[in-house]
Amino acid sequence: MFVVMQRAASEAEILGVKSRILAEGLTPYENPSAEGLKVAVVGEIGGRREALLGQLAQLPGVARVTPIKRPFKLTSREFHPDDTVIRVLDAAVGDGSLTVMAGPCSVESREQLLKTARRVKAAGATILRGGAFKPRTSPYAFQGLGVEALRYLAEARDETGLPVITEVMEPNQVDIVAEYADILQIGTRNMQNYSLLQSAGRVARPVMLKRGYGATVEEWLMAAEYIVSSGNPNVILCERGIRTFETYTRNTLDLAAVPLLHSLTHLPVIVDPSHATGKRFLVAPLALGGVAVGADGVMVEVHPDPDSALSDSEQQLTIEQFEALMVDLVPVHEHVSDLNGVVMRPVHADAPDGGGLSKH
Ligand code: PEP
Ligand code: MN
């Protein structure tokens, strides 16, 4: 539930409401709105719901108390109707502009990264990606250059001005990655690594949370809720495909998740057609598809010589293929932006119910 304060509510009245929430062992989260300050009541409310709703509604300065239907609270549009816009250096994610994250799967050398960074920037990319710590299926596969790669990413950012995003795999890597990178990425394999989510929730860097390859939309939003409730409101969601019975593609890109998420949550949504398909020739069509269904942007793997790449060589675009993709992507985004918000932002009242919280 959340409390909406009267617009003229005093500091003392706001404090009174927050103290009442804290006294129940619950946590208050504030969100300013045109209507008046909103205070979400988060925690295990259980059987106290009705009584608490009534008690809070009686407190001085309170305009109304509204239950939040969904299990995700702070990430829900019910609590926070306005889109979250994430600003990092000169880039903005979720403000209606087209976000394009591009760069190699893995940072392999200083030259490889700097060359890719310069070229993707010239082609219109807004954020540079590159893996430093790589989650590989095989322990014998290239595991990334680690801190050396973080230094190259920072150098590429300083030269091009592009903010950099890179994956963090463990809680004890969060500080070092946050020192060098502008955005932390949590990969599909770690979507439900709750201690990592909480650690990422405590740093002053936006976090891009990729969908677990076997996760429902609701489980994904509950994972995002961990980050936001730990203190970090700047979360980007990335649909990167889920595992199905299909084997011609690496994963199955769930494009319906994009407008669905826009109706359920205020967080920006990015589509990753590279990991979704695992096939170079499928990346451009699905990047266009992602933007056409209203994604705030895409993440695409680009390598100067994909065939010699140390990871994901079959799905990385050449620089020329990326340049060609950008020529097609920009007008699709412009067209979709002109559709009066029908595609970009369905109203949350239209959002269907999920199957409820599954099992855990
Ligand atoms: C990546 O983006 O580098 C990556 C490993 O992606 P995912 O977690 O989606 O597999
Ligand atoms: Mn990859």
Side-chain angles (χ1 to χ4, degrees):
M1 72 184 77
F2 62 88
V3 178
V4 183
M5 300 301 298
Q6 292 163 3
R7 232 172 304 172
S10 66
E11 279 303 315
E13 287 167 338
I14 296 169
L15 258 175
V17 167
K18 294 205 292 194
S19 314
R20 184 74 195 78
I21 296 167
L22 286 165
E24 289 290 329
L26 302 167
T27 311
Y29 285 90
E30 291 181 26
N31 178 35
S33 80
E35 242 187 298
L37 181 74
K38 289 184 181 175
V39 185
V41 183
V42 174
E44 183 63 64
I45 298 177
R48 291 175 287 176
R49 186 170 310 276
E50 286 312 312
L52 190 59
L53 223 134
Q55 288 161 11
L56 289 169
Q58 299 302 314
L59 293 179
V62 170
R64 64 186 165 86
V65 185
T66 306
I68 304 178
K69 195 169 85 197
R70 313 276 178 193
F72 40 94
K73 308 293 178 189
L74 305 175
T75 55
S76 73
R77 273 219 194 263
E78 293 173 82
F79 173 54
H80 189 304
D82 298 334
D83 290 341
T84 285
V85 177
I86 295 172
R87 295 184 194 282
V88 44
L89 302 185
D90 289 340
V93 185
D95 67 338
S97 64
L98 175 64
T99 294
V100 179
M101 304 181 177
C105 176
S106 299
V107 177
E108 298 170 5
S109 70
R110 180 172 177 273
E111 294 63 40
Q112 171 239 22
L113 184 69
L114 288 176
K115 177 174 182 187
T116 313
R118 290 175 190 132
R119 298 279 302 271
V120 297
K121 157 126 194 193
T126 57
I127 295 173
L128 176 67
R129 69 147 282 146
F133 299 101
K134 295 300 302 175
R136 303 305 301 280
T137 304
S138 165
Y140 311 121
F142 177 62
Q143 303 284 307
L145 295 180
V147 178
E148 185 186 345
L150 295 179
R151 288 201 203 98
Y152 300 150
L153 284 165
E155 185 180 347
R157 183 250 331 280
D158 294 346
E159 186 193 307
T160 61
L162 293 178
V164 299
I165 178 168
T166 196
E167 178 161 354
V168 53
M169 294 203 297
E170 312 173 11
N172 65 18
Q173 287 170 352
V174 166
D175 286 346
I176 182 94
V177 173
E179 195 178 318
Y180 288 95
D182 304 291
I183 306 174
L184 309 185
Q185 176 171 316
I186 295 185
T188 192
R189 296 159 183 82
N190 273 316
M191 189 205 82
Q192 285 182 313
N193 180 339
Y194 298 116
S195 51
L196 179 60
L197 299 175
Q198 284 169 327
S199 303
R202 295 190 201 106
V203 285
R205 290 276 178 274
V207 177
M208 185 164 88
L209 178 65
K210 297 189 101 178
R211 181 179 187 174
Y213 57 80
T216 64
V217 165
E218 196 158 291
E219 286 163 342
W220 186 12
L221 287 170
M222 295 310 287
E225 190 83 9
Y226 265 87
I227 304 173
V228 178
S229 65
S230 300
N232 189 345
N234 295 317
V235 177
I236 303 164
L237 300 166
C238 177
E239 162 61 41
R240 48 77 70 205
I242 47 178
R243 184 168 284 185
T244 66
F245 48 80
E246 183 51 65
T247 52
Y248 276 98
T249 45
R250 184 173 175 182
N251 291 286
T252 297
L253 183 62
D254 181 7
L255 281 183
V258 176
L260 179 61
L261 285 166
H262 277 147
S263 67
L264 293 172
T265 180
H266 48 89
L267 300 174
V269 183
I270 297 292
V271 161
D272 171 355
S274 303
H275 294 90
T277 64
K279 300 258 175 21
R280 196 166 305 144
F281 80 102
L282 293 174
V283 170
L286 291 187
L288 296 172
V291 170
V293 296
D296 297 280
V298 294
M299 167 176 266
V300 175
E301 288 188 336
V302 183
H303 192 289
D305 179 17
D307 290 337
S308 70
L310 299 179
S311 58
D312 287 348
S313 63
E314 286 180 39
Q315 71 194 32
Q316 303 204 54
L317 298 186
T318 64
I319 290 170
E320 294 71 27
Q321 286 170 327
F322 175 71
E323 290 166 346
L325 166 60
M326 287 303 290
V327 170
D328 288 344
L329 203 54
V330 170
V332 170
H333 175 255
E334 277 165 9
H335 180 70
V336 171
S337 305
D338 286 343
L339 296 176
N340 293 324
V342 175
V343 171
M344 298 296 278
R345 294 292 180 265
V347 287
H348 72 80
D350 290 346
D353 287 327
L357 253 191
S358 44
K359 296 176 271 299
H360 313 287

